[in-house]
Amino acid sequence: MPIIDCHIHLSDIQSFHHTARDLSGVDYSVAGLKAEFERSGVILGIGMGVEEETPAAFPDTLAGNPMGLDLARPMPSFLMECVGINPVRLAADTGKEDLDRIEQRLQSKEVAGIKLYAGYYHYFVTDPVYGPVYELAKKYDVPVVIHTGDTYSMNGLLKYSHPLTVDELAYQQRGVRFMICHLGDPWVMDAAEVVAKNPNVYADLSGLVVGDQHKFDRFQNEPLFMDHFRRALVYADNYEKMLFGTDWPLAPIDVYIEFVRRLIPEKHHDDVFYRNALRVFPRVKERLESL
Ligand SMILES: [Zn+2]
């Protein structure tokens, strides 16, 4: 079975370098990712664009739009990216220029979608600053991927990243597809409800455990931990809207695949590991056909 990893990173962000070195033990480079993908049968990865101007500044209010995968230039054929949006720069006087650059980048076949860092940046996803971004998503038929749940930085604010905030957005923007990241963890039941209720909302299962095999073994063998996610998946009862992603370099690819295999009933593996990505990201299909 081919696998598409809908959520990885390849940006020069200090906390990702540290996590790779100290927690997950992965080689955080294009070559490292390529080797892990090949070993695990992953045919394509979607990278979430993010950049920091100064080391450890993430979420950096100074980062220019759009934010990309600055460790993957030029972009290898097994990768696509979601362009990252810095709303602080969008709200500035020069916001129109940023918007023009975002639109220009969206015309590249390397781009699969748009990524919002809710919580990291202190704006609700319904804030008018994002209005033009949703218009671009509609115009170019790309999904908007939204961080939800815990922030991987103490400088995030959780009220902006709670999955319930996406409910109102999905209602306002029925013409846009949204993918909420990390199933809103720890608010996975809330995320499951937002996915179940809204036809235009999907979820990725990335970043639910951060670390190496040892850490995964500890959590995978804790029924309370696994049941926390299973309850939400059973409640949503819609495996055509759940997408596989790892949040690499936060965990090794093969270890994360095994974790998701255990969470998802086997008859839904094709959908979760491969097919759903083609539904949410039309350009992924185009990219695969061109390879
Ligand atoms: Zn991520």
Side-chain angles (χ1 to χ4, degrees):
M1 177 188 65
I3 295 174
I4 296 170
D5 184 339
C6 290
H7 188 140
I8 63 106
H9 294 276
L10 250 174
S11 294
D12 195 9
I13 301 290
Q14 194 182 75
S15 70
F16 291 158
H17 288 293
H18 288 174
T19 300
R21 189 189 65 202
D22 302 334
L23 299 177
S24 63
V26 308
D27 170 8
Y28 187 42
S29 67
V30 171
L33 182 63
K34 186 167 192 276
E36 286 198 58
F37 272 5
E38 282 174 357
R39 202 162 55 230
S40 297
V42 178
I43 56 170
L44 190 98
I46 302 175
M48 299 299 155
V50 59
E51 292 179 31
E52 56 188 17
E53 292 290 308
T54 31
F58 170 67
D60 192 345
T61 54
L62 297 176
N65 283 304
M67 300 187 287
L69 309 184
D70 52 358
L71 292 181
R73 299 278 186 254
M75 181 93 63
S77 62
F78 61 89
L79 273 185
M80 296 184 78
E81 79 177 25
C82 288
V83 292
I85 306 297
N86 173 359
V88 179
R89 288 282 293 259
L90 220 48
D93 290 344
T94 51
K96 177 76 178 75
E97 291 158 34
D98 281 47
L99 208 58
D100 289 343
R101 280 199 302 276
I102 293 165
E103 174 156 17
Q104 201 174 14
R105 182 68 184 141
L106 281 172
Q107 290 163 17
S108 164
K109 287 187 158 83
E110 295 175 347
V111 172
I114 298 171
K115 173 75 190 280
L116 305 186
Y117 290 86
Y120 292 98
Y121 291 112
H122 301 171
Y123 291 81
F124 283 110
V125 289
T126 46
D127 192 288
V129 74
Y130 289 126
V133 174
Y134 302 136
E135 289 308 312
L136 287 176
K138 249 183 288 189
K139 181 173 174 186
Y140 290 95
D141 190 25
V142 293
V144 176
V145 176
I146 300 176
H147 173 84
T148 58
D150 181 35
T151 50
Y152 203 59
S153 159
M154 69 176 180
N155 296 325
L157 280 181
L158 300 173
K159 68 174 177 178
Y160 299 112
S161 62
H162 195 289
L164 271 185
T165 60
V166 179
D167 180 46
E168 188 173 357
L169 175 65
Y171 167 78
Q172 291 172 351
Q173 300 283 349
R174 285 290 184 222
V176 179
R177 282 184 309 288
F178 297 99
M179 182 174 86
I180 54 181
C181 302
H182 323 302
L183 197 59
D185 191 34
W187 302 291
V188 293
M189 281 299 281
D190 304 69
E193 168 58 14
V194 174
V195 169
K197 173 193 169 251
N198 294 292
N200 52 334
V201 180
Y202 301 75
D204 85 31
L205 303 173
S206 71
L208 303 179
V209 184
V210 175
D212 57 7
Q213 179 79 61
H214 179 72
K215 175 88 175 280
F216 275 75
D217 284 345
R218 199 155 63 81
F219 279 85
Q220 280 173 164
N221 293 317
E222 170 54 73
L224 283 176
F225 182 80
M226 297 302 272
D227 287 351
H228 165 70
F229 301 112
R230 285 199 183 106
R231 185 173 294 114
L233 292 167
V234 168
Y235 174 80
D237 194 30
N238 198 334
Y239 292 97
E240 294 189 350
K241 292 174 88 179
M242 303 294 171
L243 285 78
F244 172 71
T246 57
D247 221 2
W248 188 92
L250 274 52
I253 304 286
D254 54 352
V255 172
Y256 208 89
I257 289 173
E258 177 55 25
F259 165 68
V260 174
R261 267 188 215 284
R262 290 191 194 194
L263 274 183
I264 303 290
E266 198 174 342
K267 65 177 173 187
H268 301 297
H269 282 185
D270 269 2
D271 278 334
V272 171
F273 282 100
Y274 180 70
R275 267 185 255 283
N276 296 344
L278 307 181
R279 295 189 177 103
V280 177
F281 298 93
R283 289 185 178 184
V284 163
K285 201 172 174 189
E286 287 167 26
R287 178 92 162 180
L288 291 175
E289 283 164 1
S290 75
L291 288 181

